[in-house]
Amino acid sequence: MIIGLVGSGYIGGTLAKLAIDAGHTVVLSNSRGPETLSDLVAELGPSARAATAAEAAAAGDIVVVTIPFGRYREVPVEPLAGKIVIDTNNYYHERDGRFPEIDSGETSDSELLAAHLPTSRVVKAFNAIYYRDLGTQGVPRGTEGRRALPIAGDDPEAKQAVTELIDSFGFDVVDAGPLSEGRRFTRDKPAYVQGYSAEELKEAIAKG
């Protein structure tokens, strides 16, 4: 499978390595141009290449959007039509500016991205774990106390594909429900960046 990455910072770079280790190829992009990713591509090896954001979006079977939330309108729309899009973003008003519709609870960061990508199948995932933990805490399925990660989305098939990918990276998955429920594991919520097992994570999500 090809994993496209729109954004190649700490989370994106970590996910790229995990994907390659799981047998996939990755196409990386950022806002500064493919040439700025040469060091990361060299580090990741022959299963990685750099491209523009539109090219990475077009190439990916699954595409990860991992850029500062405030720039979500820069995500290319046409290349992502019909595709599974993993949204790793978190809304930080100090960085992103104020979004009154999020502050009021009218909508959420992932729902705004989904509205920007009206034909994509958006799944919120990987936003509730520090990148260092993401890169180091994965263990084989069945390991006692295996850490679980939350997801949310409106498309069952997309969520299944993302669940299988997360499992291959070494984590259990707890499905929080539709995309609107992704707000239950965002900043300052009980489920955010905590190293919970699946049962513990379910309880934390319910409190969110």
Side-chain angles (χ1 to χ4, degrees):
M1 188 162 59
I2 299 173
I3 308 296
L5 291 118
V6 178
S8 299
Y10 292 133
I11 288 286
T14 301
L15 287 172
K17 184 178 186 306
L18 290 171
I20 290 170
D21 289 346
H24 308 298
T25 59
V26 300
V27 182
L28 302 149
S29 70
N30 64 16
S31 61
R32 294 174 291 129
E35 66 280 357
T36 66
L37 292 167
S38 56
D39 289 346
L40 179 57
V41 168
E43 179 184 335
L44 292 170
S47 294
R49 66 180 177 90
T52 66
E55 289 167 344
D61 299 305
I62 293 177
V63 178
V64 182
V65 172
T66 179
I67 61 175
F69 166 72
R71 297 170 57 188
Y72 79 90
R73 296 181 185 89
E74 299 175 20
V75 176
V77 177
E78 289 292 329
L80 293 173
K83 293 195 175 188
I84 297 171
V85 174
I86 299 176
D87 173 29
T88 77
N89 297 325
N90 286 301
Y91 167 50
Y92 293 102
H93 65 79
E94 302 92 339
R95 176 196 64 194
D96 302 318
R98 286 288 186 181
F99 284 74
E101 62 270 53
I102 298 179
D103 295 337
S104 68
E106 175 187 343
T107 190
S108 65
D109 47 10
S110 293
E111 289 174 287
L112 285 178
L113 177 64
H116 174 69
L117 303 172
T119 66
S120 300
R121 297 179 286 165
V122 177
V123 178
K124 190 175 190 68
F126 299 117
N127 70 296
I129 183 171
Y130 290 123
Y131 77 93
R132 289 190 181 91
D133 295 343
L134 179 61
T136 60
Q137 292 187 354
V139 294
R141 185 189 311 167
T143 301
E144 185 175 354
R146 192 190 201 203
R147 181 167 178 170
L149 302 182
I151 67 169
D154 297 330
D155 185 294
E157 289 184 2
K159 286 200 285 189
Q160 181 59 36
V162 174
T163 294
E164 292 172 3
L165 188 66
I166 293 173
D167 176 60
S168 75
F169 292 170
F171 299 91
D172 287 341
V173 174
V174 173
D175 184 350
L179 194 62
S180 60
E181 292 295 275
R183 70 189 74 199
R184 290 183 175 272
F185 50 90
T186 54
R187 175 188 186 180
D188 297 331
K189 297 294 186 178
Y192 186 62
V193 300
Q194 302 299 316
Y196 289 138
S197 67
E199 288 304 314
E200 293 168 332
L201 182 57
K202 289 177 186 177
E203 293 178 6
I205 289 171
K207 296 175 183 176

